Amino acid sequence: MSNQNISVTLSSTRRQKPEDDKLVFGKVFTDHMFVMDYSGDKGWHDPRIIPNQPLQIDPSAMVFHYGQTVFEGLKAYYSNGKILLFRPERNFQRMNQSNDRLVIPQIDEELVLKGLKELIKVDREWLPKSEGTSLYIRPFIIATEASLGVHPASQYKFIIIMCPVGSYYKEGIHPVKIAVESKYVRTVAGGTGTAKTAGNYAASLKAQEVAEESGYSQVLWLDGVEKKYIEEVGSMNIFFKINGVVVTPALNGSILEGVTRNSIIHLLKHWNMPVEERKVSIEEVYQAYKDGVLEEVFGTGTAAVISPVGDLFWNGEKMIVNGGETGELSMKLYNTLTAIQVGKEPDPFGWVVEVEQEEK
Ligand SMILES: *Cc1c(COP(=O)(O)O)cnc(C)c1O
C-alpha cells in the first residue's frame, strides 16, 4: 500500500502568510492538505494533495453524531535550510492505536508519513523560520458514512492540515497556575483516555471553564474511580520532582501516552537521573510539599514541550512550587529537547527525521 501514488493538485491561488511575530495558533492554514478516503470495498485509497478547501459532508455523517474520529498533533521545524520532524512515526503508530479503540480502519503508517513529507514540501514556504516557531501538523480521521445507525462507519476521510505557529513562550517560560479537579473526570480506565479522540476534549471543557473562572489556566486530572491518583494536566502528561527523584504517573489504561513524555523519560535515563513511572496520589504530592521536598512540577506535550507548574491548588490549599519559578530541571529538559528538535544539539536517540528535499 505504501507504493500507492500520491497525486498532487496545486492551488491556483496562494493565501496571505502571517508574519512570524503575528502567528496565532490554529487560525491560518497552509495552501494545501493531504486527503485519503476509505470505503468498505476499496479500503484506504486515492491519497492526494489538493488545495486546502471546505469539505462537503452529509449532515448525517456519523462523526457529527457519535464522534467517531481521532487526531494527532506534531510539528515541523526549520533548521538551517532543512526541515525536521520529531519522531513522526510515533504519532502515526499512536493514531493506529486510537483507530483500534474507535474501530476506525488501520492506516498505512509509511504511506501517510510519505504523504506528510510531500505536503510539507509543497507548502515549504509556510514554514516559519524565527526561533521558537514551527509548522503545526494536524492529521485526523472522520467517519463520513451518512447514517444515524450506531455502528462503526463504512466510510472515512483521513486528512492532514497544517498551520504556522509562533513561539509558545514569547515572553520566556512562565509557570502556570493549576487547580486540582475533584468533581469532573476526563476519562476512566477502559474508556477512551488512551486514544486521541475528540470526545475526551469535549469532556474536559467544563472543568477547564470552571478553572479559568477562578484564575487557573488548566486542571490537574485525577483518576476517574477513586479521584485519588494523578493522571494528566490539561491535555499534557505530568511530572513531579520529589526529593531528587522524577516521578510520573504510570500508563494505566486512561492516560494518553505522549511522545514528549516518552522522550523526557529517555532523556532523564540518559542523564542517569532517577525516574519512576508509578501511581502518584495527590496526597503524596501534598505531603512532599509539606515536607519541603516537592521540587518541581511540569506538564509535557508537543505544543509547549515543557510547561512548569508554579501554583497547584487543592483542597483549599495553594502549593507554591519552587517559589513559583521555573525549576532547573524543567529548564534543562526544555532547552535540550527543543535544541534536539531544531538540530542544534546532537540527537543521541535518532529522533529527528529530515524531510528530504529531493525525494521521490
Ligand atoms: C496529545 C496529548 C498529550 C501529549 O502528547 P504529545 O505526544 O507529547 O504531544 C497528553 N495528554 C493528552 C490527553 C493528549 O491529548
Side-chain angles (χ1 to χ4, degrees):
M1 203 160 124
S2 355
N3 47 24
Q4 275 192 65
N5 250 336
I6 300 168
S7 68
V8 179
T9 309
L10 294 180
S11 175
S12 55
T13 58
R14 294 298 149 109
R15 300 174 173 187
Q16 176 90 35
K17 296 179 188 64
E19 283 165 41
D20 282 9
D21 59 350
K22 296 200 180 65
L23 293 169
V24 182
F25 177 77
K27 294 284 187 195
V28 176
F29 292 86
T30 67
D31 289 308
H32 299 87
M33 60 186 188
F34 176 88
V35 183
M36 179 168 76
D37 299 306
Y38 180 92
S39 63
D41 52 338
K42 289 194 196 161
W44 286 112
H45 62 276
D46 201 8
R48 57 201 185 274
I49 290 167
I50 57 172
N52 186 312
Q53 60 196 281
L55 304 172
Q56 206 167 34
I57 299 180
D58 195 277
S60 69
M62 295 181 67
V63 63
F64 298 137
H65 306 276
Y66 309 126
Q68 199 191 5
T69 177
V70 297
F71 69 92
E72 271 303 327
L74 67 160
K75 286 173 171 176
Y77 306 87
Y78 176 81
S79 166
N80 260 328
K82 291 188 205 155
I83 304 173
L84 305 179
L85 290 164
F86 185 72
R87 312 185 75 186
E89 67 289 344
R90 277 192 83 92
N91 291 91
F92 292 122
Q93 276 165 17
R94 183 169 68 188
M95 188 174 227
N96 265 339
Q97 286 162 13
S98 301
N99 284 340
D100 181 60
R101 183 64 183 82
L102 274 291
V103 202
I104 292 172
Q106 296 284 297
I107 51 166
D108 179 334
E109 293 166 21
E110 271 174 47
L111 174 70
V112 291
L113 181 53
K114 191 172 155 206
L116 170 60
K117 288 179 178 174
E118 291 294 320
L119 178 65
I120 293 171
K121 281 188 260 177
V122 167
D123 276 339
R124 59 183 312 122
E125 296 291 307
W126 281 88
L127 194 83
K129 297 190 173 63
S130 321
E131 189 173 342
T133 62
S134 57
L135 191 63
Y136 183 79
I137 300 159
R138 169 56 58 89
F140 64 105
I141 300 177
I142 50 174
T144 51
E145 181 187 342
S147 165
L148 294 184
V150 179
H151 56 81
S154 60
Q155 285 164 26
Y156 301 87
K157 267 189 195 299
F158 170 99
I159 302 175
I160 304 177
I161 52 175
M162 309 194 293
C163 54
V165 294
S167 178
Y168 195 89
Y169 292 115
K170 271 190 209 80
E171 283 111 39
I173 295 202
H174 289 295
V176 291
K177 294 169 73 175
I178 300 294
V180 179
E181 176 58 56
S182 37
K183 180 175 179 189
Y184 302 106
V185 297
R186 186 183 83 92
T187 181
V188 290
T192 53
T194 56
K196 229 172 160 67
T197 185
N200 295 337
Y201 281 71
S204 75
L205 296 176
K206 184 69 187 173
Q208 175 70 26
E209 184 185 66
V210 173
E212 278 174 22
E213 280 164 9
S214 323
Y216 289 87
S217 65
Q218 309 251 296
V219 300
L220 186 82
W221 299 107
L222 299 179
D223 77 275
V225 179
E226 298 178 77
K227 296 200 187 135
K228 200 171 149 184
Y229 296 102
I230 293 163
E231 301 232 313
E232 302 200 43
V233 56
S235 50
M236 289 181 285
N237 295 116
I238 187 155
F239 287 76
F240 301 88
K241 182 164 170 261
I242 300 176
N243 209 5
V245 179
V246 182
V247 184
T248 190
L251 302 174
N252 61 353
S254 52
I255 291 170
L256 187 119
E257 183 181 8
V259 177
T260 320
R261 176 189 182 277
N262 180 279
S263 308
I264 294 290
I265 292 172
H266 273 286
L267 268 180
L268 290 168
K269 289 185 175 163
H270 187 64
W271 293 340
N272 289 319
M273 281 212 55
V275 48
E276 297 176 358
E277 291 178 73
R278 59 168 173 81
K279 279 188 166 185
V280 191
S281 69
I282 184 66
E283 276 107 3
E284 176 189 346
V285 169
Y286 183 68
Q287 194 55 49
Y289 172 71
K290 281 279 155 193
D291 296 345
V293 291
L294 180 61
E295 293 156 356
E296 297 187 34
V297 180
F298 55 91
T300 67
T302 295
V305 182
I306 299 281
S307 175
V309 176
D311 177 335
L312 195 55
F313 184 75
W314 178 60
N315 234 352
E317 293 238 25
K318 232 181 206 296
M319 303 176 229
I320 303 293
V321 187
N322 193 43
E325 302 289 324
T326 301
E328 205 179 305
L329 180 66
S330 310
M331 205 60 229
K332 184 176 171 193
L333 283 166
Y334 177 81
N335 287 336
T336 308
L337 207 51
T338 52
I340 292 174
Q341 286 169 338
V342 299
K344 279 192 188 153
E345 258 200 39
D347 170 23
F349 308 100
W351 283 339
V352 170
V353 173
E354 192 178 335
V355 177
E356 270 108 47
Q357 332 236 340
E358 309 307 339
E359 206 186 30
K360 244 194 184 160

